[in-house]
Amino acid sequence: MPKSFQHLGFSLAIRLAIQRLSTGLLSLLMMVGLVWAEPVWAGLPQGNAVKDPAAILRDSLPMDQDDLRELQHRLEGTSDDLRAKRWSALGRSISRCEALLNTRRNNILNAVPNAERQQAEQLLDTVKDDLVLLQERVDAADKSGFIQTRRQTLTTIGDLEYLLIDDRIPPIPAEFDDLPRLNGRATVVISTTQGDLTAVVDGYNAPLTAGAFIDLSLKGFYDGLPFSRAEDFYILQSGDPEGPAIGYVDPTSKQERHVPLEIRVPGEPDTFYNETFEDVGLYKATPVLPFATLGTLGWAHSDQALDDGSSQFFLFLYEAELTPAGLNLVDGRNAAFGYVVNGFDVLEELSVDDQINRIEVVDGADRLQPHA
């Protein structure tokens, strides 16, 4: 049978009813004590969560060059002004980006390894040209052109950030030495009865979870499996094999392979294994890989244990109205390990009447390590 989320607490109907309240009303109810006083609700921060999977994937790269990160965030931060068509404010933002690039270019280049320096210079030149084009889009009040150019500029910045990453995965406890791990990222195409989804799986921040998923995908484990659980506006789950087993049984040991709960938090030196945010007292934390966007890939485990996830995974069906920022009840209780980046129209059509035809690893299979 499908494994469920850990500690969700309420029935789905109650949860959805509560989440349909406006954020302001919900905050008021918390203040006067009329909502269940679970710490994960009361303590999580409010505000605008980053909901773009491409932005989340950029932010979660293990890269510490602050100037490049600031340039990325300034460009991403133009969205509010663009929606309101505040062209003067957009012009000022682009001018600041140009000034930042001109004054910090050498700092960025000096952080790039010598072997990649020439490529970095070319990418920075491309960003400089794109910023000029963005200013022209602003002057022409060309919203669609601005969006297109900004997207390609941020992609180029992401390519620059890849040149600066520390690709060593964080230390993993020796007790998990037998488990596969993904050293970096992989891209998969999930072929379903409704069409294809493309997802990026992140082994930088969830090496064991991502490793288990890529390992099973390469084995063809998911091929032909149905979506066994669906809750509108919340989750779509698969990975429950036919027969009595509820996970992947290793053919050599004849035992079900278990993957621990694995969550990284910004600023924390070590990954948390088999501990929820409640367990470690991080009620206000946001994980490096948050459940903040439609198509977040999450690893399922039972209500009874944190370390019994084996093969079942779910797609988070983020809906802004039903899942206010910081109140999704999944961060810190389940491990996210990647994001759908293409095929959202397909994702919105999937239900328990559908199945996975095949999962193909189109990039990054060589980054899978079978054990420590």
Side-chain angles (χ1 to χ4, degrees):
M1 62 182 295
K3 291 184 178 177
S4 64
F5 290 116
Q6 173 75 2
H7 302 143
L8 282 192
F10 315 122
S11 69
L12 179 65
I14 295 175
R15 183 170 60 240
L16 293 183
I18 291 173
Q19 290 177 328
R20 285 190 176 98
L21 294 170
S22 68
T23 302
L25 179 57
L26 185 57
S27 300
L28 177 61
L29 290 173
M30 287 178 178
M31 291 173 62
V32 298
L34 297 180
V35 174
W36 287 271
E38 290 198 16
V40 71
W41 277 76
L44 283 171
Q46 303 298 309
N48 294 323
V50 177
K51 303 169 188 175
D52 176 14
I56 294 171
L57 287 165
R58 281 191 294 269
D59 273 341
S60 59
L61 283 172
M63 192 282 302
D64 295 326
Q65 215 296 319
D66 292 339
D67 300 314
L68 193 54
R69 191 71 86 190
E70 182 180 352
L71 181 61
Q72 170 202 326
H73 289 163
R74 284 192 178 189
L75 271 179
E76 290 169 347
T78 59
S79 294
D80 287 343
D81 286 334
L82 183 63
R83 278 192 293 269
K85 297 183 179 180
R86 293 189 285 260
W87 298 110
S88 296
L90 279 171
R92 290 192 295 272
S93 294
I94 299 306
S95 294
R96 293 188 187 105
C97 288
E98 290 177 312
L100 174 63
L101 180 59
N102 289 334
T103 58
R104 301 295 182 177
R105 180 186 177 104
N106 287 338
N107 286 1
I108 296 171
L109 284 174
N110 289 337
V112 178
N114 288 334
E116 314 289 351
R117 193 74 55 83
Q118 183 176 359
Q119 183 181 358
E121 288 182 347
Q122 294 171 347
L123 290 170
L124 284 171
D125 287 342
T126 300
V127 172
K128 181 178 181 179
D129 292 342
D130 283 347
L131 290 174
V132 172
L133 183 55
L134 279 170
Q135 189 63 62
E136 293 175 359
R137 303 295 195 198
V138 170
D139 293 340
D142 181 1
K143 182 176 180 180
S144 61
F146 186 94
I147 291 172
Q148 180 180 355
T149 303
R150 184 182 60 181
R151 183 182 299 115
Q152 71 186 32
T153 308
L154 286 168
T155 298
T156 303
I157 289 173
D159 292 340
L160 266 165
E161 290 172 343
Y162 263 105
L163 300 180
L164 291 162
I165 61 173
D166 180 353
D167 59 3
R168 296 169 297 176
I169 63 174
I172 298 173
E175 63 187 288
F176 307 126
D177 280 355
D178 291 339
L179 295 176
R181 64 276 325 272
L182 184 67
N183 295 304
R185 286 180 175 170
T187 303
V188 300
V189 174
I190 305 172
S191 176
T192 77
T193 45
Q194 291 287 350
D196 292 350
L197 309 170
T198 302
V200 174
V201 177
D202 188 350
Y204 292 127
N205 298 292
L208 296 183
T209 315
F213 180 79
I214 295 299
D215 178 59
L216 293 176
S217 297
L218 291 170
K219 285 179 166 65
F221 178 88
Y222 295 113
D223 299 356
L225 290 187
F227 289 100
S228 53
R229 180 184 180 207
E231 295 180 4
D232 288 345
F233 310 113
Y234 218 68
I235 64 112
L236 183 69
Q237 188 163 315
S238 187
D240 184 9
E242 294 182 3
I246 58 174
Y248 169 69
V249 177
D250 186 282
T252 302
S253 67
K254 308 299 181 185
Q255 299 295 313
E256 184 177 279
R257 185 172 73 189
H258 288 166
V259 179
L261 176 66
E262 177 182 45
I263 303 176
R264 281 194 65 76
V265 176
E268 294 289 336
D270 299 317
T271 301
F272 293 112
Y273 285 99
N274 291 329
E275 293 181 301
T276 67
F277 281 0
E278 291 96 328
D279 292 334
V280 296
L282 292 176
Y283 302 124
K284 297 183 179 181
T286 297
V288 175
L289 300 178
F291 287 91
T293 185
L294 176 69
T296 305
L297 292 167
W299 202 246
H301 55 84
S302 75
D303 288 334
Q304 290 73 44
L306 299 175
D307 63 352
D308 63 355
S310 180
S311 64
Q312 295 185 42
F313 72 97
F314 58 90
L315 294 154
F316 188 54
L317 305 182
Y318 178 90
E319 179 65 39
E321 179 185 355
L322 303 181
T323 314
L327 296 174
N328 62 43
L329 299 180
V330 188
D331 281 339
R333 303 169 184 233
N334 287 81
F337 63 95
Y339 297 90
V340 171
V341 294
N342 194 29
F344 297 102
D345 55 336
V346 173
L347 180 58
E348 291 174 342
E349 296 297 323
L350 290 170
S351 71
V352 289
D353 296 324
D354 294 299
Q355 71 174 30
I356 296 172
N357 295 330
R358 184 187 179 203
I359 298 182
E360 181 183 4
V361 183
V362 296
D363 180 66
D366 58 328
R367 300 183 188 107
L368 180 69
Q369 184 178 328
H371 50 74

